[in-house]
Amino acid sequence: MKYELIAPCHFGLEACTKKEISELGYEIKEVSDGKVVFTGDERAICRSNIFMRTTERILLKVCEFKAYTWDELFEATAAVNWEDFIPWNGRIWVAKAASVKSKLFSPRDFQTIIQKAVVKRLQTACRREGERLPMDGPSYALRVSAYKDVITIGIDTSGDSLHKRGYRKNTVKAPITETLASALIMLTPWNKDRILVDPFCGSGTFCIEAAMMAANAAPGMERNFAATSWRNIMEKKLWYDAYDEARELKAEGLALLDKSGVDIQGYDIDDEALRAARGNAELAGLSGLIHFQRRDVADLSHPKKYGFIITNPPYGERLEEKEDMPPLYRTLGERYAELDSWSMYVITAFEEAEKYIGRKADKNRKIYNGMMKTYFYSFLGPKPPKRKENVLE
């Protein structure tokens, strides 16, 4: 059966999510701020959860309608064929409700009214009016969006956010999320044949996400999802097939890297951060692909050309840290200037980053990291020369 599926993502990074969905082979229906809507069958639910790197979750879109009053919301919700999506014993609740430019705006009222309407519909459809739902089966968490009085309700197929790959058990102050790190890497021309260095690696997220891409390792292959227990919508075999596909692709990717190699390096001056990074890489099964090292940004260097710096330096969030930012960014800029033909990509909330790096960025993209406004600066180096193919005479 064909469904509409919603992939929420970071504002400004919709193109990355759209590209991922297209590469999985699914049709894009709509792209708007912070989400991409696409169509797919039950297999698409499994594969998008397991393979996608840049979305926070996959929602199965159930309905969309206009509502200006709470009564209209109740009646429209109760008119939906919820029995096609949720079994009698399904555990139902509204996990989140967000409202923008709509007459209805109270999250608590959304949660109460929509849950009551869904319960009423299931009682009627199952001919059990007045009977309490047992709520002891699989989870069907609803997520509600109201925009300009248009109400969209979807069921969360993912459960825990998809940024939780399962490898980041060790963390440090101000980590970047895995989904954001992946999207930012995708905005660069980096590939597994090029050097990548993160001089402020922290718990290793950029390096590990890059290694996963290099090895063609699906980010969700080691975790479960809310929909893995949905027997009313899909057979368990579909999940087994998707997991098997992911394992085969990773095995092939690692075999290729054994022949060609990959150069991914993470530096930090904090021993605790390096321990966290190494532990996380080990949990991801990718420790052999990344070299973590205690090194100050002042010692940043590399003998090879055409490499990439992709990094998330300190922002100076606390007042007492702000005076440390100018010399830190100045040093980063000086070391980058010494790297022949390299490119550098920096995400930061430090407003004067370009000034102290000493060079105006070739591109500057505004990105919201949670509620924090950040900038993704692109300092572009030259492209490497194309390799000449051997021609037999």
Side-chain angles (χ1 to χ4, degrees), residues 89-100:
N89 70 333
R91 193 158 64 90
I92 311 159
W93 78 100
V94 178
K96 186 176 181 181
S99 179
V100 178

Side-chain angles (χ1 to χ4, degrees), residues 39-67:
T39 56
D41 57 10
E42 294 86 351
R43 192 178 300 273
I45 294 173
C46 306
R47 296 182 73 240
S48 56
N49 271 296
I50 291 172
F51 285 96
M52 288 190 66
R53 303 181 190 278
T54 63
T55 182
E56 296 302 311
R57 59 188 68 250
I58 300 296
L59 305 179
L60 193 167
K61 181 178 172 183
V62 176
C63 57
E64 190 170 270
F65 52 81
K66 283 200 169 186

Side-chain angles (χ1 to χ4, degrees), residues 300 309 330-342 344 357-359:
L300 175 61
I309 295 170
R330 186 182 297 115
T331 301
L332 175 61
E334 289 169 354
R335 298 318 304 152
Y336 170 58
E338 294 297 316
L339 288 166
D340 184 21
S341 67
W342 279 48
M344 181 167 73
I357 286 172
R359 172 178 163 181

Side-chain angles (χ1 to χ4, degrees), residues 237-344:
K237 184 180 182 300
L238 295 178
W239 286 104
Y240 289 139
D241 290 345
Y243 283 120
D244 286 344
E245 179 187 1
R247 292 187 187 101
E248 288 170 11
L249 289 171
K250 182 180 179 181
E252 292 169 5
L254 288 172
L256 288 172
L257 290 181
D258 281 343
K259 297 177 182 178
S260 62
V262 65
D263 191 346
I264 299 173
Q265 301 182 29
Y267 308 148
D268 211 289
I269 59 169
D270 186 334
D271 289 330
E272 183 181 344
L274 291 169
R275 280 194 295 272
R278 291 185 182 112
N280 291 337
E282 185 73 32
L283 287 169
L286 300 167
S287 57
L289 303 182
I290 309 167
H291 175 65
F292 289 111
Q293 180 183 139
R294 191 180 196 281
R295 186 187 289 198
D296 192 285
V297 67
D299 301 320
L300 175 61
S301 65
H302 202 290
K304 296 181 181 178
K305 294 185 175 183
Y306 305 110
F308 284 76
I309 295 170
I310 305 178
T311 192
N312 174 38
Y315 302 162
E317 299 100 317
R318 292 200 293 262
L319 190 62
E320 63 269 21
E321 295 174 335
K322 290 193 179 296
E323 63 184 24
D324 297 331
M325 294 303 102
L328 184 147
Y329 282 84
R330 186 182 297 115
T331 301
L332 175 61
E334 289 169 354
R335 298 318 304 152
Y336 170 58
E338 294 297 316
L339 288 166
D340 184 21
S341 67
W342 279 48
S343 298
M344 181 167 73

Side-chain angles (χ1 to χ4, degrees), residues 209-222:
E209 291 296 317
M212 291 178 76
M213 292 178 189
N216 205 6
M221 63 186 294
E222 299 297 338

